[in-house]
Amino acid sequence: MDSHSFEIAVAEPVERHKTYKVGVRRKTRQVNVGGIKVGGDAPISVQTMTKTKTDDIPGTVGQIRAAAEAGCDIVRVTVNDKEAAESMAEIVRQSPIPIVADIHFNHIFALKAIDANVAKVRLNPGNIGSKDRIRQVLTAAKAKNIPIRIGVNSGSLEEDILEKHGYPTAEALYESAMRHVGICDEFNFNDIVISVKSTDVKLMIEAYRLVAERTDIPLHLGVTEAGTTRVGTIKSAVGIGTLLAEGIGDTIRVSLTDDPVKEVEVGKEILRSLSLASRNIELIACPTCGRLEIDLFKVMAQLEEKLAGVKKPVKIAVLGCVVNGPGEASEADIGIAAGKGVGILYRKGEMVKRIKEDEIVATVLEEVEKFQPE
């Protein structure tokens, strides 16, 4: 081999996960969560979890109502003590959306939640003790057609599974989930949803792919303990969004160290970004640069405030310069291309009129009021 010769190292073939086209959903069985269908051809639902003490019934119901107003479909409530269990019936009675009881280890709390007519129970059957206890819970849930979510978390895997795999892996999460599915199968209980969450986005994606490849069970997507609003939003968008783009996922929950309403807002936006949910107001603005010729920050702040409660499916674009502005504004339902203190109003791609900078907010609000979705 002369000095100009070289060898090419060829990597070993890598076994790849099954891929899905965007918009082509994985086929699953379907469960009914208090009237909200999960799986099959049902729309992808958005969930959150209350952050109040459950026995604070007014506070808990208040959070649920606020989340529902923001677009939440299903809400989870912790049932972690006797007082919480005794509060569930009244919370269910007052809630405008289906309630999921979050249970860990205690089969009595699960039975009380089922008696309270919750819509679903989040429970790992293998964690509640003897087979008789498991039988009691699954029998009670089956009698009321209440599904169960098997929720596996990389931070709380069984000791024998951790010892076998060495550390949390996608296979370890899958094995844990299927252990609990197997217990349900023993009792002929098939009305289940699975989650295999992790704080590690890559691990979470790999684990959900495994479950998706090997079962037809609906999947609840989430990055657990995602963190503060900024970091948690990014991690959730990457993890949940990647899977949804592959056709994997039937219901989602964004976990943030923030108000449940914020979790719902981020979840809805993830769905909208992939055209998996109808949108309400969608505000688009340029990122701004040295070409900016209006006070775009002020304009957008005013529009966000004044349009916060509007539920129309309308796309609004406000661009602050003449370079990209006309083209992008014309692609929106209502668009403004601005420059040097003035703006051009576009309506569904058609130029309508010129307006002054101080008329932009009022003009957009007027256009929204007149807007009729197709």
Side-chain angles (χ1 to χ4, degrees), residues 24-35:
V24 179
R25 291 274 296 280
R26 161 182 171 257
K27 295 186 184 302
T28 75
R29 66 184 80 164
Q30 190 175 81
V31 303
N32 187 335
V33 182

Side-chain angles (χ1 to χ4, degrees), residues 87-107:
S87 301
M88 289 304 292
E90 184 61 23
I91 291 170
V92 169
R93 190 185 71 79
Q94 293 189 37
S95 176
I97 54 178
I99 299 287
V100 178
D102 189 72
I103 310 288
H104 294 276
F105 310 116
N106 194 309
H107 82 293

Side-chain angles (χ1 to χ4, degrees), residues 148-332:
I148 285 176
R149 171 162 70 92
I150 292 169
V152 174
N153 190 308
S154 64
S156 56
L157 285 170
E158 296 92 327
E159 288 186 11
D160 65 310
I161 290 178
L162 269 180
E163 186 175 339
K164 174 183 174 181
H165 292 272
Y167 57 93
T169 64
E171 285 284 355
L173 287 166
Y174 170 79
E175 184 175 332
S176 177
M178 297 316 294
R179 173 178 292 179
H180 295 293
V181 170
I183 293 170
C184 289
D185 286 344
E186 283 184 49
F187 293 91
N188 197 29
F189 190 95
N190 302 308
D191 211 9
I192 55 178
V193 177
I194 288 177
S195 65
V196 279
K197 296 184 180 182
S198 176
T199 58
D200 183 320
V201 175
K202 185 171 181 289
L203 173 58
M204 164 261 192
I205 291 171
E206 291 172 350
Y208 276 108
R209 283 172 175 167
L210 283 183
V211 181
E213 287 171 22
R214 300 173 183 179
T215 80
D216 70 341
I217 299 170
L219 294 178
H220 168 119
L221 303 186
V223 178
T224 193
E225 298 164 1
T228 58
T229 303
R230 182 180 67 85
V231 174
T233 295
I234 294 168
K235 291 174 71 174
S236 295
V238 172
I240 295 172
T242 295
L243 291 164
L244 290 176
E246 296 177 357
I248 298 171
D250 303 285
T251 184
I252 67 172
R253 188 263 172 119
V254 172
S255 297
L256 301 175
T257 310
D258 206 329
D259 189 279
V261 167
K262 183 60 69 174
E263 295 186 349
V264 174
E265 290 172 347
V266 174
K268 299 288 281 188
E269 200 56 46
I270 291 171
L271 294 182
R272 290 187 196 111
S273 72
L274 291 166
S275 300
L276 293 171
S278 60
R279 54 187 166 83
N280 290 323
I281 294 291
E282 181 180 1
L283 278 173
I284 297 170
C286 61
T288 75
C289 67
R291 297 193 300 266
L292 185 65
E293 295 180 306
I294 64 167
D295 189 350
L296 189 60
F297 299 100
K298 179 181 176 181
V299 168
M300 296 307 294
Q302 290 178 354
L303 287 175
E304 279 194 325
E305 178 185 353
K306 294 180 183 298
L307 293 170
V310 179
K311 300 298 183 184
K312 285 187 176 181
V314 54
K315 181 177 181 179
I316 302 166
V318 183
L319 292 307
C321 81
V322 296
V323 176
N324 296 322
E328 295 185 21
S330 65
E331 292 175 2

